[in-house]
Amino acid sequence: MVQTLTLKINGMTCSACAQASERAVKKLEGVQEAAVNFATEKILVKFEDGKLTVDSIKGAIVKAGYEAADDVSPMKETSIPIGGMTCTACAKAIERAVGKLPGIGAASVNFATEKATVRYDSTKTRLSEIKGAITRAGYTPLAVGSANAADRVDEHKLAKEREIRVLKAKFAVSALFSVPLFYIAMGAMLGWPLPASMAAMDYPLRYALIEIALVIPVLAAGWRFYYVGFRAILHRAPNMDSLIAMGTSAAVLYSLYSVFSIAGGEFRAVEDLYFETAGVIITLILLGKTLEAITKGRTSESIKKLMGLQPKTATVVQAGIEIELPIEEVEAGDVILVRPGEKIPVDGEVLTGATSVDESMLTGESLPVEKHPGDAVVGASINKNGSITFRATRVGADTVLSRIVKLVEDAQGSKAPIAAMADIVSGVFVPVVFVIALAAAGAWLLAGHTLVFALTVFVAVLTIACPCALGLATPTAIMVGTGKGAEHGVLIKSGAALETAHKIDTIVFDKTGTLTEGRPAVTDVSAVAGAGGSGVGGGAGGAAAGFTELDILSLAASAEKGSEHPLGEAIVRAAEERGAAVSVATDFLAVPGFGISATVDGRRVLLGNEKHLAANGVPRNADFEAGSGKAHELSGLGRTAMHIAVDGAYAGLVAVADPVKASSARAVAALQRLGLQVAMITGDNRRTAEAVARLVGIDRVLAEVLPQDKAGEVKKLQAEGRKVAMVGDGINDAPALAQADIGIAVGSGTDVAMESADIVLMRSDLMDVPTAIKLSKSVIRNIKQNLFWAFGYNVLGIPVAAGLLYVFGGPLLNPIIAAAAMSMSSVSVLTNALRLKRFQPSK
């Protein structure tokens, strides 16, 4: 396993010192890479764990004349939930405010998840100062989330439910007063029935005061638009609320001016009341915000499901007594009892009992997995039918579930490169809209139109503009997509990985443990049935000795019993499964690259390749020739044949193969249907490799490649102009996974897999590879649709609001219609993103 280490080097005075330190470390056995940065006075070392220790690396640096110290980085990363954001301009304002603090490495605010991810130097700034900057920008930093997944989901759920309740109440109040306001205002113009006492032309001041009385509760319901919007303008960071506040304020202030004119005797000013415009705009936007909050809540349902899986208590056995403890009090090493039907609270290793466990909530695998003492169990999985005790090995944030949740949360909070254009536009959107609104209103005044006409255009432009749709287009699709992937055991670690995956045109599979099971098994046993038929334990075998297949398996297993070779273990396992006797062998001798020899029940047994038997004097008779032909035939099927001789006579052969996974051929076919070229990389000889490739339908084979050279082979494919995904087990394939454009680690969610790969497949089912590619294509297609409609909406909507249609004899856009369109634009983007919830994995 390759480890990466960063050390601080003290005592360097020039670049020659850096080179001397670098050379000293590179000479160490097991070092793959060493690079010294003189400016930062640090060395980055990649080395093979087991061949080298950190102390030996430090010792080499000391011998070179310098001092090596651990690199204790003051950089920290935190995720801060933020309240009060209403559009992407808010997110940009927070990024700017936090970015001005000393020691900030990066600050990114995701409007969809309503979180700020900040990387900062803890020696230069504190978390409280970051929160203070967010507050000064006009927003509310909330408590940094609990480490416990269940607590986080409860907090998030309660906060969202509270937000939706408040928005519904505000909308209800606003609608209750704006509907009669709209009826009264339009009734006066359209001749709708109204009480005589409310006739606009007969009682203009009374009519105006009634409208004021009706609009005040609506303005109160939407007070946040004014509070946030005008404060954002004061901070020189106007947002969508600023547009709403300016537009509706202009309508209300002009209407109030008209009311004063009415009171002064100018009764015709009753025609210039626009209270209903402000009231209906606020009502429609509150409706849009309510629908948006409900829809945004649905985009993160997948992560909520994952976070809510963990039980809140565990039954810990202490001194024979069962104690129920909160999950956060469970420590590594505790013995935990789980009864049938209960959830396993944390990760651990079974001590007593046997059961089957449903792990589908984490892996997507529907069939329960049998568990016995020594087997690993995963927190949040369900114990089906037996009581077990297990020792906790990972608790809290270290459990597989917590790490999965963290991966998905990080992915949902990340930005895909495709969002760059939307970010740029959103950053300047609101000021540009202000300029367009003022310019349009001014142009119509200069063209000779009335102030009322210009005001209508000004309010319409401010109202129809919607940066929210632009800001939601990418993150909502990523949220739904990554969450949907997690439901099916496909963990995509970032938005960038999700976007890159759809560009892949070549998939490279590692063979052993990826396309194959990674656990060799006996496939064929062939015996020489001579006339003697003495069998195992009979007298001298000689050339005439005959053996049954069970005899051959028994002799081979007895000889291999002391071997640690995977092929030998497969033979012993097969003998035990088939009931063949396994004796104790003596005089065991292994000859690397050839085979073994041993004495079994007084008989000398040779097991290995043809050269091994020939070197030990086994005559090449007809039986040997027949066995050689059989071995060549088996080799063409991807099987490794080992010949066996007893007391100097050829006796038969045992063939072992690493079985191909049931899903391998289907996965390769599915990828080829997606238009991808599929290749296989392996250290096996070409004949065996090509046999496995034929079984699974792969045309391009990279054989006899050493583990350390796999990354180089990937680089060669990239040099051909290909976008390459490497699929491996995440352990010995780590360099190749890192080199590939996308690294896909298969199976079990190991630490190395999660670190080295861009996509982690929690199951060993290779059909998840085309699922990951298909999901990426679906998400990117959805993002492009969202961006098209978001950009298209604003590109078309703003000119129409500015009076473009009116220039060519069409109607002037009413601000009320503009408000309805703006509110629905964000909802339409969110609704389109939610279509990804219907995504189905490859079959």
Side-chain angles (χ1 to χ4, degrees):
M1 188 171 71
V2 178
Q3 294 272 28
T4 300
L5 171 71
T6 302
L7 293 173
K8 181 81 173 171
I9 301 180
N10 298 321
M12 293 193 298
T13 57
C14 65
S15 57
C17 301
Q19 291 173 5
S21 304
E22 198 173 284
R23 282 196 302 270
V25 173
K26 281 183 175 178
K27 290 178 182 177
L28 297 173
E29 182 185 0
V31 171
Q32 292 189 355
E33 183 183 332
V36 175
N37 186 319
F38 176 58
T40 60
E41 297 182 332
K42 291 179 183 178
I43 182 170
L44 175 71
V45 186
K46 290 185 178 180
F47 63 98
E48 295 178 39
D49 192 19
K51 288 189 177 181
L52 200 59
T53 64
V54 175
D55 288 338
S56 59
I57 296 172
K58 288 181 177 179
I61 295 170
V62 171
K63 285 180 183 177
Y66 307 97
E67 180 185 340
D70 292 330
D71 177 32
V72 182
S73 174
M75 296 303 288
K76 293 183 177 180
E77 187 171 293
T78 186
S79 181
I80 306 171
I82 298 175
M85 292 194 296
T86 56
C87 68
T88 49
C90 303
K92 284 290 179 185
I94 295 168
E95 286 178 359
R96 284 195 297 270
V98 174
K100 291 176 182 177
L101 295 173
I104 299 296
S108 176
V109 179
N110 188 313
F111 174 53
T113 58
E114 298 176 338
K115 287 181 181 179
T117 301
V118 185
R119 190 168 180 268
Y120 64 102
D121 186 337
S122 58
T123 63
K124 294 181 179 178
T125 195
R126 302 178 66 86
L127 182 60
S128 58
E129 293 174 299
I130 295 172
K131 289 185 174 182
I134 296 170
T135 302
R136 288 191 296 276
Y139 306 93
T140 307
L142 306 176
V144 177
S146 163
N148 185 283
D151 290 344
R152 287 207 306 275
V153 71
D154 288 345
E155 292 166 7
H156 187 270
K157 184 179 178 183
L158 290 172
K160 274 295 172 191
E161 288 176 350
R162 186 164 52 249
E163 178 190 357
I164 291 169
R165 279 200 307 273
V166 169
L167 282 170
K168 283 182 176 178
K170 287 182 175 180
F171 169 68
V173 170
S174 182
L176 182 66
F177 288 93
S178 62
V179 169
L181 173 62
F182 181 77
Y183 183 88
I184 291 171
M186 298 306 293
M189 290 189 295
L190 301 176
W192 293 350
L194 286 170
S197 59
M198 294 174 60
M201 302 311 295
D202 295 335
Y203 305 99
L205 185 59
R206 181 188 301 173
Y207 174 84
L209 292 175
I210 290 172
E211 284 201 1
I212 290 175
L214 289 171
V215 83
I216 286 174
V218 180
L219 297 176
W223 71 272
R224 185 170 182 81
F225 296 130
Y226 301 96
Y227 173 72
V228 175
F230 286 119
R231 188 170 63 171
I233 292 173
L234 293 175
H235 283 95
R236 295 196 296 274
N239 56 23
M240 192 201 76
D241 288 336
S242 304
L243 298 178
I244 297 167
M246 287 291 290
T248 55
S249 293
V252 170
L253 289 174
Y254 184 80
S255 299
L256 287 174
Y257 170 77
S258 298
V259 172
F260 282 111
S261 297
I262 294 169
E266 183 63 45
F267 297 150
R268 292 191 63 83
V270 75
E271 297 176 359
D272 296 332
L273 297 178
Y274 289 91
F275 290 118
E276 83 285 353
T277 299
V280 175
I281 285 174
I282 288 174
T283 301
L284 288 172
I285 292 171
L286 282 172
L287 172 62
K289 286 292 178 186
T290 304
L291 294 174
E292 185 179 313
I294 294 169
T295 313
K296 277 172 71 177
R298 290 175 60 199
T299 62
S300 57
E301 280 180 2
S302 296
I303 189 70
K304 289 177 188 175
K305 287 178 186 176
L306 280 174
M307 293 167 71
L309 288 174
Q310 190 178 54
K312 295 191 175 182
T313 61
T315 303
V316 178
V317 180
Q318 295 180 349
I321 300 173
E322 298 174 12
I323 305 171
E324 189 169 301
L325 295 177
I327 194 72
E328 56 268 19
E329 293 184 24
V330 175
E331 301 286 347
D334 282 348
V335 176
I336 299 170
L337 170 68
V338 185
R339 298 181 177 86
E342 293 181 344
K343 284 186 178 180
I344 294 170
V346 295
D347 298 356
E349 182 181 309
V350 178
L351 296 175
T352 63
T355 187
S356 59
V357 175
D358 179 358
E359 297 179 344
S360 60
M361 68 291 297
L362 296 178
T363 66
E365 180 61 61
S366 58
L367 293 176
V369 182
E370 296 293 326
K371 300 291 181 181
H372 299 91
D375 290 339
V377 289
V378 182
S381 54
I382 301 172
N383 182 31
K384 298 293 286 184
N385 53 20
S387 292
I388 58 169
T389 61
F390 72 94
R391 179 177 287 108
T393 55
R394 293 185 178 187
V395 299
D398 294 328
T399 64
V400 169
L401 175 66
S402 294
R403 286 154 65 214
I404 290 172
V405 168
K406 180 68 165 61
L407 278 177
V408 178
E409 284 183 328
D410 288 348
Q412 292 187 340
S414 67
K415 292 184 178 180
I418 197 173
M421 180 59 71
D423 285 346
I424 293 170
V425 173
S426 297
V428 298
F429 186 87
V430 175
V432 168
V433 170
F434 269 127
V435 172
I436 291 173
L438 287 170
W444 286 113
L445 283 173
L446 291 174
H449 286 269
T450 65
L451 179 62
V452 171
F453 186 96
L455 179 66
T456 300
V457 169
F458 179 75
V459 175
V461 171
L462 293 182
T463 304
I464 201 168
C466 184
C468 298
L470 287 171
L472 291 169
T474 301
T476 49
I478 289 175
M479 285 176 70
V480 179
T482 51
K484 197 66 181 175
E487 282 185 20
H488 295 289
V490 178
L491 304 182
I492 301 170
K493 292 172 65 174
S494 69
L498 187 65
E499 179 173 345
T500 304
H502 95 284
K503 301 175 184 176
I504 294 299
D505 55 31
T506 304
I507 301 272
V508 180
F509 283 97
D510 173 54
K511 182 181 80 71
T512 306
T514 303
L515 287 171
T516 64
E517 296 288 354
R519 190 171 186 249
V522 171
T523 58
D524 301 85
V525 180
S526 178
V528 173
S534 59
V536 177
F547 298 94
T548 65
E549 291 181 359
L550 204 61
D551 292 337
I552 293 296
L553 197 55
S554 175
L555 287 165
S558 299
E560 288 280 13
K561 186 69 174 176
S563 171
E564 294 181 355
H565 195 282
L567 300 184
E569 292 175 354
I571 293 172
V572 173
R573 191 164 55 249
E576 292 172 347
E577 290 171 355
R578 301 183 192 184
V582 181
S583 305
V584 177
T586 57
D587 304 324
F588 178 84
L589 177 65
V591 183
F594 289 87
I596 64 169
S597 63
T599 300
V600 178
D601 295 331
R603 314 184 77 169
R604 190 63 181 165
V605 176
L606 297 170
L607 183 67
N609 57 27
E610 294 181 24
K611 292 180 181 179
H612 183 54
L613 270 61
N616 284 275
V618 177
R620 197 168 184 88
N621 56 17
D623 290 334
F624 199 156
E625 288 293 344
S628 179
K630 178 75 171 174
H632 185 76
E633 179 187 330
L634 293 171
S635 176
L637 297 174
R639 302 170 188 174
T640 301
M642 288 171 284
H643 301 278
I644 186 167
V646 181
D647 292 334
Y650 189 85
L653 62 78
V654 178
V656 177
D658 187 2
V660 172
K661 288 179 181 175
S663 61
S664 295
R666 288 189 295 117
V668 169
L671 289 167
Q672 289 169 340
R673 285 196 299 272
L674 289 172
L676 281 71
Q677 183 181 92
V678 184
M680 184 182 79
I681 191 167
T682 178
D684 286 352
N685 65 73
R686 179 159 293 277
R687 184 175 174 83
T688 301
E690 288 180 345
V692 173
R694 281 195 301 273
L695 288 173
V696 298
I698 291 177
D699 298 323
R700 187 164 183 174
V701 179
L702 306 172
E704 300 173 20
V705 180
L706 297 174
Q708 61 268 29
D709 296 333
K710 288 182 179 179
E713 291 295 328
V714 171
K715 193 179 291 186
K716 288 178 185 177
L717 289 170
Q718 291 170 324
E720 296 175 13
R722 297 182 176 277
K723 286 286 186 181
V724 181
M726 173 70 192
V727 185
D729 60 15
I731 300 173
N732 60 350
D733 299 315
L737 289 170
Q739 174 62 42
D741 296 283
I742 288 291
I744 302 177
V746 180
S748 74
T750 60
D751 289 333
V752 177
M754 288 190 173
E755 288 299 323
S756 59
D758 302 291
I759 298 174
V760 180
L761 309 180
M762 295 302 292
R763 303 183 295 178
S764 293
D765 188 348
L766 290 186
M767 285 302 295
D768 289 343
V769 177
T771 291
I773 302 297
K774 182 180 170 186
L775 177 63
S776 170
K777 290 179 181 291
S778 296
V779 172
I780 297 303
R781 184 167 56 249
N782 191 278
I783 288 173
K784 288 179 178 178
Q785 291 167 353
N786 286 346
L787 288 173
F788 174 80
W789 289 114
F791 276 113
Y793 165 81
N794 284 292
V795 167
L796 293 175
I798 292 175
V800 169
L804 181 64
L805 294 181
Y806 189 84
V807 171
F808 297 100
L812 185 67
L813 185 67
N814 189 300
I816 291 174
I817 297 174
M822 188 276 280
S823 296
M824 291 304 105
S825 64
S826 294
V827 176
S828 65
V829 165
L830 286 162
T831 304
N832 188 49
L834 284 174
R835 291 194 307 112
L836 287 168
K837 293 174 74 68
R838 300 202 295 265
F839 173 84
Q840 292 298 320
S842 296
K843 295 181 180 178

